[in-house]
Amino acid sequence: MRIAIVGAGLLVLAVAAIVVGVLPVSDATAILERVAPVLGFVVAMTVVAELAAKAGLFDVVAHAVGRVARGRTWALWLLVVALAAVTTAFLSLDTTAVLLTPVVVVLARSCGLPPLPFALTTVWLANTASLVLPVSNLTNLLAMHPLGFDGPGPFVALLGWSALIAMLVPPVVVFVLHRRMLVGTHRPPRSPVLGDRVLLRAAAIVVALLLPALVSGLDPWIPATVAAIALTVVYAVRAPRVLRFGLVPWALLLFAGGLFLVIGALEALGSGRVIASLVGQGDGLGDLWRMAGAGLVGANVANNLPAYLALESSAHSPAAIAALLIGVNAGPLITPWASLATLLWHDRLVGMGVEVRWGRFVLLGLAVAPVTVALAVLPLIHA
């Protein structure tokens, strides 16, 4: 509800900017044409993820992970690391935060383990692993336009090593902090309670076909939309009551649409020139660190999406855009509002009775985020 209210306010400001001539109608139309496929992808993937979760797909995968660990806690945790990374890479950071977090918490509890180390691993990887593919984060999809990339291959070539570093640092910190909890053995996890097996099989097939399609070179919204339609049809036959208005993330669409237009209006007023004077303009290591640092600070002060939009026009090379993505994707580990995924993650934990102390979360983030971002920028000096 808060996101919807903020989005409505942003939309009012955007309309006012258009009416008074600050943002020309042609510029507003160009912005909406650019972001329409991106937001369409977000909607489709949200529907796919929600319906797959309701079919029990994530529960079955998590239970399989628990069985593979064979009672070894360190193995279970490493498998959760891998599961969170893969889920984020292919299904986006918000999917990991919203749908995987409760599954991981239930898995840890069913094994007799404290859920917090697993939950912390999940939220940190939801942010840092979002550097892997264009579909991993909304910011990546937006960056494909200025980068001029047609598919995931060039994106991975540019950011692959940086993404690997960003995914390694936080789990290392989690293991060091919770090493006493993450060694030893645990009891086998309980089997999940399954409902309609036809829905489960359909969800498994759709997701299995969708994952390679997302890296096939097609515009991501195309396979995502096909997958969403396919699952919707199956649910319409098997469980029509599940299909509800709230499956579509209306609040996020309102927030993102208004935000894009407001940032466009601010750029028309000259905000880009001011920001450009504060960040690095070259491709040297110092300039790339400044760009990534600006993204990190902007994300933790406001949010990663407006931070990216505000800084994008100041990034004049692929390396600079990559540094910006590192800052706004791997940097939001400090404040609760730095990414929507972190807020969604916290809401899920509160609903499950898992206590998260924000003071400790912020202190850990202050130690982890700058190191992660700084190290992840290093491969860009050869880009």
Side-chain angles (χ1 to χ4, degrees):
M1 181 60 69
R2 286 175 292 181
I3 294 173
I5 293 172
V6 173
L10 290 171
L11 201 57
V12 169
L13 290 175
V15 171
I18 294 172
V19 169
V20 301
V22 172
L23 180 64
V25 174
S26 58
D27 289 354
T29 302
I31 291 171
L32 293 176
E33 288 177 350
R34 176 191 172 191
V35 303
V38 174
L39 296 181
F41 169 80
V42 171
V43 170
M45 286 304 301
T46 300
V47 172
V48 170
E50 288 282 356
L51 294 181
K54 289 182 181 299
L57 182 61
F58 292 108
D59 297 287
V60 170
V61 172
H63 179 259
V65 164
R67 302 298 295 183
V68 170
R70 295 184 178 181
R72 298 166 296 181
T73 303
W74 62 268
L76 179 67
W77 176 74
L78 286 178
L79 288 167
V80 167
V81 169
L83 181 60
V86 171
T87 302
T88 300
F90 286 95
L91 301 178
S92 87
L93 71 168
D94 293 335
T95 298
T96 299
V98 174
L99 302 177
L100 187 61
T101 295
V103 172
V104 169
V105 169
V106 170
L107 175 64
R109 283 174 168 169
S110 70
C111 293
L113 298 170
L116 193 57
F118 294 86
L120 184 60
T121 300
T122 302
V123 72
W124 276 357
L125 280 171
N127 288 285
T128 60
S130 68
L131 284 167
V132 175
L133 293 171
V135 298
S136 307
N137 199 325
L138 180 57
T139 54
N140 300 351
L141 290 171
L142 293 170
M144 294 292 279
H145 176 74
L147 285 171
F149 293 164
D150 294 328
F155 186 91
V156 174
L158 176 64
L159 275 156
W161 288 110
S162 297
L164 180 62
I165 291 171
M167 286 189 294
L168 287 176
V169 176
V172 168
V173 174
V174 171
F175 188 81
V176 170
L177 290 174
H178 300 283
R179 57 190 180 276
R180 293 183 180 178
M181 302 179 188
L182 297 176
V183 296
T185 59
H186 60 266
R187 63 174 181 254
R190 295 187 297 271
S191 298
V193 178
L194 300 179
D196 191 324
R197 293 182 182 272
V198 173
L199 291 177
L200 176 59
R201 293 191 191 97
I205 292 171
V206 168
V207 172
L209 293 174
L210 175 61
L211 297 189
L214 290 175
V215 294
S216 65
L218 290 170
D219 286 341
W221 69 269
I222 297 175
T225 301
V226 172
I229 292 172
L231 273 182
T232 300
V233 170
V234 174
Y235 266 86
V237 174
R238 302 289 300 187
R241 292 184 179 180
V242 173
L243 301 177
R244 51 187 175 80
F245 189 75
L247 282 175
V248 176
W250 300 109
L252 179 59
L253 291 179
L254 187 64
F255 172 77
L259 181 62
F260 292 137
L261 292 171
V262 167
I263 294 297
L266 291 174
E267 288 184 344
L269 291 172
S271 65
R273 292 189 297 273
V274 176
I275 293 172
S277 65
L278 302 175
V279 300
Q281 295 297 299
D283 287 345
L285 181 58
D287 289 320
L288 295 178
W289 269 338
R290 285 173 63 189
M291 179 62 75
L296 182 153
V297 172
N300 284 288
V301 169
N303 179 265
N304 62 340
L305 184 55
Y308 172 82
L309 292 172
L311 291 164
E312 182 190 68
S313 62
S314 300
H316 300 298
S317 69
I321 294 173
L324 173 57
L325 287 175
I326 291 170
V328 299
N329 287 14
L333 307 180
I334 302 172
T335 57
W337 55 82
S339 76
L340 177 61
T342 303
L343 290 174
L344 296 172
W345 168 83
H346 181 257
D347 285 344
R348 294 288 175 165
L349 291 185
V350 170
M352 301 185 74
V354 179
E355 181 183 0
V356 178
R357 290 177 291 177
W358 281 125
R360 185 170 185 268
F361 184 90
V362 169
L363 290 175
L364 288 175
L366 285 170
V368 176
V371 174
T372 302
V373 169
L375 292 177
V377 167
L378 293 178
L380 299 181
I381 61 177
H382 303 297

